[in-house]
Amino acid sequence: MTNASPLRIAVVGFGKLGLLHAGIANGLPGSKLVAVCDNSSTTMNVLKSQMQGVETYSDYKTMIAKGGIDAVFIATPTGSHAPIAVDFVNAGIAVFIEKPLAPNTEQALPLMEALERTPVTNMVGYMGRYIDTFAKAKALIDSGALGGLQMLRTSMYVAQLFTKGKGWRYEQKESGGGVLITQNGHVIDKLLWMFGDLEYVTGQTNTLYSSTVEDYAHAYFAFKSGLTGFMDASWSARHFRTPTISIHVQGEHGTLDVNDDDVRLHLEKAHGDLPADWSIWRGPDLYQGVPFDIGGPQYTRQAIDFLEAVRTGTTVETDVKSGFKTQSVVDAIYRSAQQNGAPQFFAEQ
Amino acid sequence: MTKSPLAPIVLGHNAFFGVDHLSAARGAERAAFFADPQNILDMIHTAYDHGVRGMMMSTHDRAGPVAELIRNDPKLSQDMAIYPLLPYAQKYITKANEMGLINVVIDALSGSGLKSKVSFLWQGGKGVLTKDVTGMLSALIRLELNIFRGLNMPAVFLHDALTDLALGLELKDIFSFFIEELDKNHNSQGSFATKNLPLLQQRFKEWGLPTPTVLTHANKIGFHMNPSLPACEDALNEGVSNVMAMGTLASGYLSPDEAYSYLGQFPTIKSVVVGVSSSKHADETFAAIKTNGWDNT
């Protein structure tokens, strides 16, 4: 493969995220959508009638056998992520896997092993790290301006479910769980990214409308750094039109609040270029254009990082290993909830 | 070049439906106030008194009652141009989580009460449907626009999520279909919202399609302007013909004065979307528009 020839991109699972990844990868210079696989014949027929030069498949194994693919975006229901990814990895094809990685860590293990044997570029879709406000917050935390971190509170709410849900997302076997593993997975990914590894976690979950997955989850985190705090998550929370994540952390020298809209830092005294008192960065302060935007710049930046790593045969931050770590925290919260909140300790990682 | 179907000042709908790109919390507060369609109608009258003769309308669940109130208002139904923005993506995304995208479309059509108009759906089930993609899209457009029937709709905008997806996938036929369908069956100009103005311009040129009317972000800090502020400014200077500018305050980041004086330099900007959420806010906003030379009569 040379830099001159565009990367040949495949997508497996052509729902809303599959469409989004296909559109971004095809819209960016240097990559071209060449193949799509989905088990809905309706979807594939619609696609075939509208797009020339894109092969359509109902079985991803046929797609692999046909060859001619440099990287694949896997956006199927969670339960099939790992088995599909393993087959692509074994064929030496770079894999992007939508989050969550798998319903649980156990089901993700074969993928970890496959990547040991065939270390292709790999990524899990925790795109929240590419949102301007959270990237800024991470940089502020890393600057040490807050001093030793003392306490944390965080939430993820969305008004999504107020009757019994239908479809794979609400079937524990397929999805791995409810709000905790889906939208709130982004929170856990961000916390590990910002604050490092955990010593232990405790959790409670509750079912409001669903029968096999939780609609509400609550967790207490103790980080190895000594930082402690709690998390609330619900997809049955009124008044939240879109998924809304907030993180508040207090340190010896100040506080930091971050959500999708802004970052607010309060410092007792100046730290380097950062003045004492309030500093506020809003979305427009931090915004930088991307070559091509469909669903928000974070998706484009994520795709650019992945595709660049594929081109250069390197790795990305949110790789399968990192997704596995996030998954292990999700698993621990579910285990704790089953044991009525018993603490779950993490071995040295 | 296509003829401008745009009113100079167009009332935005985001505040009415709880959308706020600077603050989700503020959005939720406004949504509560505008839960009563009468409050929306009052705000439309306030804007009308300031000379506003156009209004953006998504196909949010609340749009139906508002459209009904406008229809029953002799002054508004006569003078106010409605610019639908479709589809209201959030509505479909929530359902798509449960049943998959394609089933949402089928479901929407079968429950639409437009059975006779989309009878092809029942002639041979999904197999027939898939061979008639344009028939399906035509029915979807009809369904989405149904709540605005009888109102004056000089242009209909395709939501930027779909425009930009179609740009990414290079679906030329979708664009020409949308333009033709709106012209033929709705006596309206098929137009496009986009966050990628220069790319849209480039693709239309490559495809040999006339430059369409577009709805796009325009503000001096480049918020939601891709790939960059300078590239979008080039397009606004000469690349496109009729532009309706949105996001001009960069979600409340810029003052109305800063925002509207910036827009004045671009000959292609024929229209500006203005969001107002209270009568005090409306007075300030429209005063700034007048000061900066926008014709709002």
Side-chain angles (χ1 to χ4, degrees):
Chain A
M1 184 191 341
T2 68
N3 281 345
S5 60
L7 287 177
R8 297 161 299 176
I9 305 299
V11 172
V12 179
F14 216 52
K16 65 180 195 221
L17 280 161
L19 262 168
L20 180 66
H21 293 309
I24 293 172
N26 198 63
L28 283 173
S31 46
K32 204 87 200 145
L33 182 70
V34 297
V36 173
C37 173
D38 195 282
N39 58 15
S40 157
S41 59
T42 315
T43 308
M44 288 301 90
N45 284 338
V46 170
L47 182 74
K48 218 183 286 178
S49 74
Q50 296 300 314
M51 281 194 80
Q52 283 90 43
V54 176
E55 297 292 327
T56 57
Y57 299 89
S58 56
D59 181 355
Y60 75 89
K61 290 184 181 176
T62 318
M63 180 194 252
I64 295 174
K66 189 85 186 287
I69 297 165
D70 299 312
V72 64
F73 287 82
I74 300 168
T76 54
T78 308
S80 59
H81 285 178
I84 294 174
V86 165
D87 288 335
F88 278 95
V89 170
N90 288 342
I93 296 167
V95 289
F96 175 99
I97 303 153
E98 251 317 319
K99 62 93 217 172
L101 180 57
N104 52 52
T105 45
E106 195 190 335
Q107 291 187 41
L109 276 174
L111 176 59
M112 296 283 276
E113 289 159 13
L115 283 167
E116 286 281 315
R117 287 192 306 269
T118 317
V120 294
T121 299
N122 58 90
M123 189 176 209
V124 181
Y126 284 110
M127 54 67 194
R129 298 191 193 189
Y130 293 92
I131 295 172
D132 292 321
T133 49
F134 291 102
K136 180 71 187 173
K138 159 80 171 157
L140 289 169
I141 289 163
D142 288 351
S143 78
L146 293 173
L149 300 180
Q150 298 171 327
M151 54 188 196
L152 170 77
R153 65 168 182 268
T154 166
S155 58
M156 197 305 299
Y157 300 122
V158 59
Q160 174 176 316
L161 192 75
F162 299 99
T163 54
K164 193 178 183 320
K166 293 184 214 87
W168 68 266
R169 281 179 175 75
Y170 305 100
E171 298 295 335
Q172 201 270 342
K173 268 200 176 137
E174 267 295 281
S175 62
V179 64
L180 176 66
I181 189 174
T182 52
Q183 290 99 330
N184 194 69
H186 287 295
V187 175
I188 293 171
D189 172 67
K190 286 187 184 102
L191 295 183
L192 297 177
W193 175 52
M194 289 176 176
F195 306 118
D197 288 346
L198 285 164
E199 183 75 30
Y200 70 91
V201 66
T202 73
Q204 294 285 4
T205 59
N206 203 358
T207 290
L208 307 172
Y209 300 97
S210 302
S211 45
T212 66
V213 300
E214 81 289 348
D215 302 318
Y216 172 79
H218 187 85
Y220 176 82
F221 296 109
F223 291 86
K224 288 202 192 306
S225 67
L227 173 68
T228 60
F230 66 86
M231 174 212 88
D232 245 347
S234 176
W235 62 21
S236 305
R238 303 275 179 196
H239 315 306
F240 293 87
R241 199 180 64 92
T242 51
T244 305
I245 291 175
S246 305
I247 298 174
H248 168 89
V249 63
Q250 178 178 305
E252 294 166 299
H253 306 317
T255 59
L256 181 133
D257 287 273
V258 57
N259 56 41
D260 285 84
D261 300 323
D262 52 41
V263 188
R264 290 159 192 267
L265 176 74
H266 185 270
L267 292 180
E268 298 298 321
K269 54 178 196 231
H271 178 93
D273 292 345
L274 298 165
D277 216 342
W278 289 102
S279 300
I280 297 171
W281 295 266
R282 295 187 290 169
D285 281 312
L286 302 167
Y287 188 84
Q288 303 219 311
V290 289
F292 177 59
D293 177 12
I294 300 182
Q298 61 271 26
Y299 290 102
T300 305
R301 290 192 197 114
Q302 173 180 259
I304 289 173
D305 267 12
F306 174 64
L307 296 170
E308 188 52 27
V310 174
R311 256 176 228 119
T312 52
T314 50
T315 56
V316 297
E317 240 183 32
T318 49
D319 61 1
V320 166
K321 240 183 219 162
S322 153
F324 189 85
K325 212 181 223 186
T326 298
Q327 188 60 49
S328 69
V329 176
V330 169
D331 284 9
I333 295 172
Y334 284 132
R335 261 198 324 274
S336 173
Q338 279 167 3
Q339 299 164 28
N340 196 24
Q344 307 292 313
F345 287 84
F346 293 90
E348 285 300 322
Q349 285 168 335
Chain B
M1 192 187 288
T2 41
K3 183 174 162 287
S4 173
L6 306 177
I9 317 276
V10 172
L11 184 65
H13 58 210
N14 277 353
F16 303 152
F17 303 137
V19 180
D20 190 317
H21 296 296
L22 197 62
S23 159
R26 189 172 70 182
E29 265 170 43
R30 286 184 184 162
F33 176 73
F34 288 116
D36 181 352
Q38 188 59 46
N39 288 341
I40 297 182
L41 190 72
D42 290 349
M43 195 51 66
I44 297 172
H45 273 288
T46 303
Y48 184 92
D49 294 342
H50 281 284
V52 173
R53 294 294 180 270
M55 188 182 173
M56 288 303 299
M57 286 281 264
S58 79
T59 53
H60 189 282
D61 289 342
R62 281 187 196 167
V66 176
E68 188 61 28
L69 288 173
I70 295 173
R71 236 189 316 273
N72 294 329
D73 185 309
K75 202 164 63 173
L76 295 183
S77 62
Q78 172 78 38
D79 297 343
M80 198 62 109
I82 303 297
Y83 299 101
L85 174 68
L86 50 97
Y88 177 64
Q90 210 61 34
K91 176 173 71 183
Y92 291 101
I93 283 172
T94 309
K95 280 192 205 159
N97 278 342
E98 297 196 342
M99 50 212 278
L101 268 184
I102 201 81
N103 292 322
V104 170
V105 172
I106 294 167
D107 189 61
L109 291 177
S110 53
S112 65
L114 295 172
K115 253 186 172 174
S116 59
K117 303 229 167 61
V118 290
S119 55
F120 62 87
L121 276 175
W122 286 267
Q123 283 165 3
K126 285 184 183 182
V128 173
L129 167 80
T130 60
K131 290 195 187 74
D132 187 5
V133 175
T134 53
M136 177 176 75
L137 291 175
S138 160
L140 263 182
I141 292 168
R142 211 181 285 271
L143 168 67
E144 285 272 314
L145 290 180
N146 193 36
I147 52 173
F148 304 119
R149 66 195 174 277
L151 295 175
N152 173 26
M153 291 188 295
V156 174
F157 289 93
L158 186 66
H159 196 284
D160 58 64
L162 290 190
T163 301
D164 293 332
L165 182 63
L167 281 180
L169 294 173
E170 300 173 77
L171 302 176
K172 176 193 170 190
D173 293 352
I174 296 284
F175 290 94
S176 43
F177 165 77
F178 191 73
I179 293 166
E180 202 185 302
E181 175 71 15
L182 266 296
D183 181 46
K184 215 170 55 191
N185 293 328
H186 301 275
N187 192 27
S188 187
Q189 197 177 104
S191 306
F192 302 93
T194 182
K195 286 187 174 143
N196 305 281
L197 182 65
L199 182 69
L200 179 136
Q201 176 203 342
Q202 182 198 322
R203 290 262 204 268
F204 269 67
K205 209 170 168 185
E206 285 164 11
W207 294 334
L209 294 175
T211 313
T213 295
V214 296
L215 170 66
T216 197
H217 291 254
N219 54 71
K220 68 176 185 186
I221 58 167
F223 193 41
H224 290 309
M225 295 166 76
N226 299 294
S228 66
L229 179 63
C232 288
E233 286 180 335
D234 284 350
L236 288 173
N237 268 323
E238 50 189 331
V240 285
S241 45
N242 299 316
V243 176
M244 185 189 284
M246 67 181 287
T248 54
L249 302 180
S251 301
Y253 188 85
L254 298 169
S255 74
D257 257 334
E258 284 178 286
Y260 302 122
S261 61
Y262 171 77
L263 297 182
Q265 64 182 296
F266 300 108
T268 58
I269 298 183
K270 304 283 170 48
S271 169
V272 54
V273 182
V274 177
V276 288
S277 52
S278 67
S279 53
K280 182 173 167 284
H281 184 202
D283 291 344
E284 288 165 9
T285 304
F286 292 114
I289 288 176
K290 272 186 195 148
T291 310
N292 287 289
W294 280 87
D295 174 19
N296 57 338
T297 52

